[in-house]
Amino acid sequence: MADSEKKIYKENLYYTIPLLGFIAIFAKIIEHFFLPAKYYYDNNRILGMINDPEFSGKWPGSYEVAADFFRKINIFHCTTFLQWSILLGILFNILLILLFTRNKGLDIKQTFFALMCTGILNIYIFNVGKDAIQILIFIMLYIVINLNISKFIKIAGCFAILYWESTFYRNYYIIIAFFFLSIIMGIFWLRRKRKRVSVAKVIMIIFLLYTLVFIFLATARTFMHGDYAGVMNCKAGVDVMQANSMIDDKIEHNGNLMLFMENYVINSIRMAFPIELLKSGAFYLPFLVFEIFLIYYLFQAILRLYKMSFNQVIALSIFVAYFMGSVLFEPDFGSFVRHEAATFPILYILVFNPDNWRTASSNKVKGRIQTS
């Protein structure tokens, strides 16, 4: 990278860091004065459970875990959504800014994506709710990935965290944990060959990912009947009227695995390229742009699959495993993007790390996809 290019990247970073604070404040204003209460239905339910353990509308499971967690850490005696939003916004945004101060520079795409992530995080994640706990778990993964420990322990530690979450918070993370192990082993196998990435290999990787999901479901159908039924019927209780961006199944599968897999492939494409959100109104446009950026950076990851750092390989494996699990369970695009934003600590390793692949854009031979 030329010195002049490095200087531009550093200047972008210097301008971006103060802008993060401005975007955070602007996002909080949008959160409290412009968005309807329905976008924070779960948050307000948890808030009611925090303030009153006997709250009539309380729900068990992850809702109860979240309420108990916030009740225990409530040393400032917050009682309103606004108070929690301000407190968590201050704490998380300090961490966010400190994270970016460790960077060496940002190109223009990274700058825009950083500001977009900051806005989404402050609107949907940095408040009292389940996703605030979820991002803490991804912060734990970020810490393990960056520890100066052996590769095996890093992988084992990340698997343990994902599995641990499944035992007390979101039980479907056990699926993500096993997807993670399978994906990272597959990447290691591909990296051993150290050849250029071809279009055929990209197609093969995607096919293998779908095959992995099919094998998992076929195994669950035989040995884990309850879990299999849970996956097949996970969207059955979703009220379509409550979600303008419903990820409805286009094919009625009635428990048939092959038809379910057809739906899975269709829904994965819809979630990766949510163009249909445009018909739901301009409000969903940021979600579409966010997903476009994510697909772009995942594409860049595939280009540099053989040259990525080990930390990035782990981060890529976690994020792809998360996406594969999300296609199984997410009921609507709004929930999907909100939950996806909570993976930001992992996205930071993929997108913003100083040793990332932004220099690949200037290498037109080594970084390109071959057509044969």
Side-chain angles (χ1 to χ4, degrees):
M1 185 188 302
D3 290 339
S4 59
E5 195 174 8
K6 289 182 180 179
K7 183 179 179 181
I8 293 173
Y9 288 165
K10 287 182 179 180
E11 289 178 351
N12 286 344
L13 178 63
Y14 294 152
Y15 291 128
T16 299
I17 289 176
L19 279 176
L20 295 177
F22 173 79
I23 293 295
I25 294 172
F26 183 68
K28 287 299 180 184
I29 292 174
I30 293 176
E31 176 189 51
H32 291 287
F33 295 103
F34 294 96
L35 295 182
K38 70 176 183 178
Y39 291 117
Y40 303 99
Y41 179 80
D42 286 352
N43 305 73
N44 286 313
R45 182 181 294 275
I46 292 172
L47 181 63
M49 295 170 65
I50 295 170
N51 294 335
D52 180 11
E54 302 301 322
F55 179 61
S56 60
K58 69 178 181 180
W59 282 355
S62 57
Y63 289 87
E64 194 167 10
V65 172
D68 290 342
F69 173 80
F70 285 112
R71 196 180 299 118
K72 289 177 181 177
I73 67 169
N74 191 15
I75 60 176
F76 295 104
H77 306 290
C78 298
T79 58
T80 67
F81 183 86
L82 177 61
Q83 290 171 344
W84 277 108
S85 181
I86 293 174
L87 175 62
L88 296 176
I90 291 172
L91 295 176
F92 277 119
N93 280 297
I94 289 174
L95 290 176
L96 188 66
I97 291 174
L98 288 175
L99 192 63
F100 276 101
T101 58
R102 299 179 65 249
N103 208 290
K104 296 181 180 179
L106 300 173
D107 63 28
I108 190 64
K109 293 185 294 293
Q110 291 171 323
T111 299
F112 187 79
F113 188 61
L115 297 176
M116 177 174 291
C117 287
T118 301
I120 292 175
L121 287 168
N122 277 277
I123 290 175
Y124 292 112
I125 310 299
F126 298 166
N127 49 46
V128 59
K130 293 191 291 183
D131 292 311
I133 298 176
Q134 187 62 68
I135 198 172
L136 290 175
I137 293 173
F138 277 105
I139 289 173
M140 293 172 60
L141 290 167
Y142 173 88
I143 293 172
V144 169
I145 292 172
N146 285 282
L147 287 176
N148 186 22
I149 54 179
S150 71
K151 295 178 180 179
F152 175 80
I153 295 178
K154 285 186 180 185
I155 295 173
C158 290
F159 175 84
I161 291 172
L162 294 170
Y163 177 80
W164 170 67
E165 178 177 355
S166 74
T167 64
F168 76 97
Y169 198 48
R170 286 172 166 161
N171 55 8
Y172 60 85
Y173 264 72
I174 190 172
I175 299 175
I176 295 175
F178 283 104
F179 282 172
F180 161 66
L181 275 186
S182 302
I183 292 167
I184 199 165
M185 287 189 293
I187 291 178
F188 286 158
W189 177 76
L190 289 170
R191 279 162 63 100
R192 288 180 62 184
K193 300 187 179 293
R194 293 191 173 277
K195 296 179 180 179
R196 290 176 178 176
V197 177
S198 64
V199 172
K201 285 183 179 177
V202 173
I203 296 173
M204 181 189 72
I205 291 170
I206 295 173
F207 176 78
L208 290 175
L209 291 175
Y210 287 133
T211 303
L212 175 62
V213 176
F214 177 81
I215 292 172
F216 170 82
L217 292 175
T219 304
R221 182 177 58 178
T222 304
F223 299 104
M224 299 176 288
H225 302 289
D227 294 329
Y228 179 76
V231 172
M232 292 292 113
N233 302 312
C234 63
K235 298 180 182 180
V238 178
D239 186 353
V240 178
M241 299 304 295
Q242 294 296 321
N244 294 329
S245 57
M246 180 72 179
I247 306 174
D248 55 322
D249 290 336
K250 299 301 182 183
I251 302 173
E252 189 67 33
H253 59 79
N254 294 318
N256 182 286
L257 179 55
M258 295 306 298
L259 293 178
F260 182 88
M261 280 305 303
E262 290 182 28
N263 265 322
Y264 184 89
V265 173
I266 293 171
N267 288 341
S268 66
I269 296 172
R270 292 170 64 198
M271 293 168 72
F273 305 95
I275 300 174
E276 63 193 82
L277 287 178
L278 293 176
K279 67 182 181 182
S280 299
F283 173 80
Y284 291 96
L285 182 60
F287 293 170
L288 174 61
V289 177
F290 181 75
E291 284 303 314
I292 291 173
F293 267 90
L294 280 182
I295 293 301
Y296 166 79
Y297 284 116
L298 286 177
F299 180 76
Q300 292 294 311
I302 294 174
L303 284 180
R304 290 186 54 86
L305 190 61
Y306 304 108
K307 300 179 181 180
M308 294 167 62
S309 69
F310 182 76
N311 287 357
Q312 289 176 324
V313 169
I314 298 179
L316 175 64
S317 302
I318 291 174
F319 185 81
V320 173
Y322 165 82
F323 179 84
M324 292 168 61
S326 295
V327 177
L328 288 174
F329 296 102
E330 291 292 2
D332 64 89
F333 287 103
S335 297
F336 169 58
V337 174
R338 183 173 70 251
H339 296 160
E340 197 173 41
T343 68
F344 179 79
I346 299 301
L347 291 177
Y348 179 87
I349 297 174
L350 284 174
V351 178
F352 301 106
N353 254 18
D355 61 342
N356 62 18
W357 46 75
R358 64 174 176 260
T359 56
S361 61
S362 61
N363 192 330
K364 297 183 180 179
V365 176
K366 296 181 180 180
R368 70 167 182 246
I369 288 184
Q370 304 298 310
T371 58
S372 61

